[in-house]
Amino acid sequence: MTLDRLAASPQADDERAERILAAARELLLAWGYKRVTVDEIARRARIGKGTVYLHWKTKETLFTELLRRELHKQLGILAAGIGQDASAALPSRLVREVFLQQTRNPLDRALHAGDSDVLGALAITANGLPVIQELGFHTLLARVVDVWRAHGLVTVTAPAADQIHTIDAVLTGFMTGGIAVPPSEEFPPDHRADLLGHTIKAALETSAGPDEVTLRAAAQDVLAALAAAQGTLAEARSRSAAR
Amino acid sequence: MTLDRLAASPQADDERAERILAAARELLLAWGYKRVTVDEIARRARIGKGTVYLHWKTKETLFTELLRRELHKQLGILAAGIGQDASAALPSRLVREVFLQQTRNPLDRALHAGDSDVLGALAITANGLPVIQELGFHTLLARVVDVWRAHGLVTVTAPAADQIHTIDAVLTGFMTGGIAVPPSEEFPPDHRADLLGHTIKAALETSAGPDEVTLRAAAQDVLAALAAAQGTLAEARSRSAAR
DNA sequence: CGTGTGACCAAATTTCAAAACTGGTCATGC
DNA sequence: GCATGACCAGTTTTGAAATTTGGTCACACG
């Protein structure tokens, strides 16, 4: 365990942090927050338990960073999609994509659903708020809605707060999938994503689609909002490090 | 306890059943299914415990009937609303009303949300399905959507199954209220109901509102569907009685 | 020297058997 | 012949002991 590393270079430190995070991620998905022990994480990362605490003050900050990274990555994927095709910045398209991402990535799903089987004590933060709020998702949503309004992609007759709430509720509803209707193979994620997209489009978007120029400008602003949110996440990271 | 009743008339029997049901309802709301004991129900209804079993085979059938009655009553209120104003049969209006009912009536809410704090073991039936499904809500929703389609109140370009799923998901989403947005006093139930109604309307209803004649005809058919569902509920009741 | 470690500690969680409770029955009394 | 509550088997709760776990730190190692 001690043969391969002579001095601690910052580089090796980073690589070690990654290993810890990777181990934590695997275990979180397999067992859920509560059952994962710091000891086990250390064993998987092939380091001593104390070393984990050289990187994070507590088990909680370690996992919080893991979640921050997850959201950071998700935002990156969204941004990439918009970069490739500006129309992916449209409300219906963006919400659709978020839905698909949550469907595919178990951690994202747990995060947005506040799944306490996976998140355990993390599901609700010290402030009594769901993690997803703590991570600034609400702020991002509000900013993006503002961008959409500024560029006329969504109606401005309705208050922004109403639109935010509608998006939140509808997305959540499609995530849980409703209650009355029995799950069926007729509804694969892609299809449900389409229904969600259609609902968002009908409820919020302006009837006439935007012209090319407006769309590109709006896409730029959405990208900026995403980047800003990523920045906030990255910044919070350094604040939770042990050293 | 025996002075006031000499012979058991069917009438007195019914009145007694009502007392039991009323006691069960109070206790269910106060304590939740699991904590409510048959003993306590009997005490509240001022009868012996064994007497409860003269009316229902098990604790579970007793509470299932309670829930059936609750849904029956809710359907009655919906029907009354339509009787008074045919436009209450429109998708957006009807869903809106269901939402408000669930918001106001704790039992309805528990029923539709599958709240296991209240419903306990009842939340999931012996068949592994949520109670609300067992009670035929899905069948009713499917029928009503068909009526709407037949009368051109909703688009017929989209499959009915998609529309059912959309209604279910959106209603559920507004019930839980989303995750990302912190609850606020800005969003009283009435306001959220409006947002829900708007969403359903935009996502499903045909752009041109129906003429008076069509609306009335559709309203009649919706009423018939509601009455049929009530009939099914009442019929199931007799099947669960002990005698 | 300074980094990494695992033995160690207090606090939290799990175990497990005894005690208490509860759904459902039925012999009894009215 | 209907209503009742004592009674029973099976389940749940309790609580104290045993185990586990997050977090610390004295020490070994390079």
Side-chain angles (χ1 to χ4, degrees), chain A residues 32-204:
Chain A
Y33 181 73
K34 195 179 154 170
R35 288 176 194 273
V36 176
T37 68
V38 176
D39 224 359
E40 181 68 26
I41 293 173
R43 210 170 306 139
R44 283 240 185 172
R46 296 200 231 164
I47 53 172
K49 179 161 110 164
T51 310
V52 172
Y53 289 89
L54 258 31
H55 289 268
W56 292 278
K57 249 197 343 274
T58 65
K59 179 187 179 187
E60 195 185 312
T61 58
L62 161 59
F63 279 93
T64 302
E65 170 156 352
L66 183 58
L67 296 183
R68 265 200 301 268
R69 288 197 173 208
E70 207 64 23
L71 191 52
H72 189 282
K73 201 196 303 172
Q74 186 190 9
L75 297 182
I77 296 175
L78 291 178
I82 295 174
Q84 211 174 339
D85 172 7
S87 68
L90 288 169
S92 54
R93 292 284 304 281
L94 200 60
V95 173
R96 193 198 123 99
E97 201 51 45
V98 171
F99 172 85
L100 281 175
Q101 214 132 106
Q102 290 179 22
T103 305
R104 287 199 261 263
N105 183 330
L107 253 191
D108 277 345
R109 183 168 53 239
L111 205 48
H112 284 257
D115 180 349
S116 59
D117 275 0
V118 175
L119 266 32
L122 288 176
I124 285 175
T125 63
N127 316 359
L129 299 171
V131 243
I132 190 65
Q133 266 178 54
E134 197 79 358
L135 291 178
F137 190 78
H138 174 235
T139 309
L140 171 59
L141 181 56
R143 289 229 179 104
V144 172
V145 167
D146 269 348
V147 170
W148 286 333
R149 292 169 67 90
H151 290 274
L153 298 190
V154 299
T155 324
V156 287
T157 48
D162 285 1
Q163 297 175 321
I164 292 169
H165 187 261
T166 299
I167 292 171
D168 190 18
V170 173
L171 176 58
T172 304
F174 274 90
M175 276 310 298
T176 71
I179 306 250
V181 179
S184 137
E185 295 179 11
E186 277 190 85
F187 289 100
D190 280 8
H191 188 194
R192 283 165 52 201
D194 288 341
L195 295 180
L196 167 60
H198 170 258
T199 304
I200 291 293
K201 177 173 180 149
L204 298 177

